[in-house]
Amino acid sequence: ELSAHLNRSHDLDETLDFVLSRVVSVLEQTEQTDDIRGMIVLRVSGTEILELAATHKLTEEEVDRFNSRTYTVYDGTFARPIAHGQWVEIADPAEVSEAIAPLFTRKAPQQRLDIPLRVGAETIGAISLDRVTQDEATRQLLTAIADLAGAAIQKTQALKVSRQRAVELMETFERLHAADQQRNEFIQNVTHDLKAPLTF
């Protein structure tokens, strides 16, 4: 289902929301809970800056707090999954609080799971959740989802950039066409205005 949906989807936001909801769903079924919060953080293309791309059950205040400062691939728990492409599982609440407290307005989650989103050797972001899993089969499933998601996200990002460039090129073409029409009208007007005195 995931693979089929990701191959059909051409919208980045839809792809991100779908991936995050499926990852949360897997953990909710494994952990028998419905209070898992999470987010997808992506690397801004060609930089070390991170952007919050999708959220699940985060408050507006938490989203605003995240967006109010600039995070890089080397900040907090992001360094391992994004800069080094490693899984991060922290089960100790004190360690979680120390690692990510600035992101949260109330209290930090009790656990932390960061799954890298890889495309080949490159890590384009991470799925971050406030739950760890002890089940090896669940880890394998989440890794497979993240690998599929990485390729799909990169594809839809490239498509979004291509569409933006196409719009920009069309706008440029329309401006040049309008300028060319003005030039033609100017030449016609000048020619007409010069004919009368030249004829005389």
Side-chain angles (χ1 to χ4, degrees):
E1 180 199 3
L2 183 78
S3 181
H5 181 91
L6 293 178
N7 283 328
R8 281 194 316 268
S9 178
H10 300 296
D11 181 78
L12 182 59
D13 292 334
E14 179 188 323
T15 299
L16 292 165
D17 289 339
F18 181 80
V19 167
L20 187 55
S21 70
R22 287 304 179 269
V23 169
V24 168
S25 175
V26 167
L27 276 176
E28 284 179 342
Q29 290 175 30
T30 306
E31 302 295 317
Q32 298 295 308
T33 183
D34 63 354
D35 65 343
I36 295 174
R37 303 182 319 145
M39 61 185 172
I40 294 179
V41 180
L42 295 179
R43 190 177 198 153
V44 175
S45 182
T47 72
E48 295 178 344
I49 295 171
L50 300 176
E51 65 178 349
L52 187 58
T55 65
H56 180 79
K57 291 192 177 178
L58 263 63
T59 66
E60 283 184 34
E61 199 173 346
E62 287 165 345
V63 171
D64 290 342
R65 178 169 287 210
F66 186 98
N67 291 330
S68 68
R69 66 163 281 201
T70 302
Y71 289 92
T72 71
V73 296
Y74 305 108
D75 287 334
T77 58
F78 297 131
R80 283 173 53 202
I82 302 175
H84 304 292
Q86 301 171 345
W87 267 60
V88 175
E89 286 187 83
I90 307 174
D92 177 37
E95 192 180 340
V96 174
S97 182
E98 185 179 320
I100 63 169
L103 299 180
F104 293 89
T105 54
R106 291 172 289 164
K107 61 177 186 176
Q110 299 298 296
Q111 298 177 330
R112 175 74 170 203
L113 171 62
D114 288 331
I115 308 166
L117 289 167
R118 293 190 205 95
V119 181
E122 182 187 5
T123 305
I124 62 168
I127 304 169
S128 295
L129 304 146
D130 61 359
R131 192 75 47 152
V132 297
T133 178
Q134 305 301 322
D135 179 41
E136 187 55 35
T138 302
R139 286 185 183 136
Q140 290 175 2
L141 179 57
L142 292 175
T143 299
I145 291 173
D147 289 344
L148 280 171
I153 289 166
Q154 189 177 58
K155 176 193 79 172
T156 51
Q157 280 178 320
L159 186 61
K160 184 177 180 180
V161 168
S162 297
R163 285 178 175 160
Q164 287 171 340
R165 287 185 181 158
V167 168
E168 289 167 5
L169 284 172
M170 195 63 194
E171 288 171 352
T172 302
F173 171 78
E174 288 171 357
R175 282 196 305 272
L176 289 172
H177 183 66
D180 193 48
Q181 280 185 320
Q182 288 176 339
R183 182 185 60 88
N184 288 339
E185 288 171 10
F186 175 75
I187 290 171
Q188 285 175 355
N189 290 338
V190 168
T191 304
H192 180 268
D193 291 345
L194 287 174
K195 272 183 182 175
L198 286 174
T199 304
F200 177 75

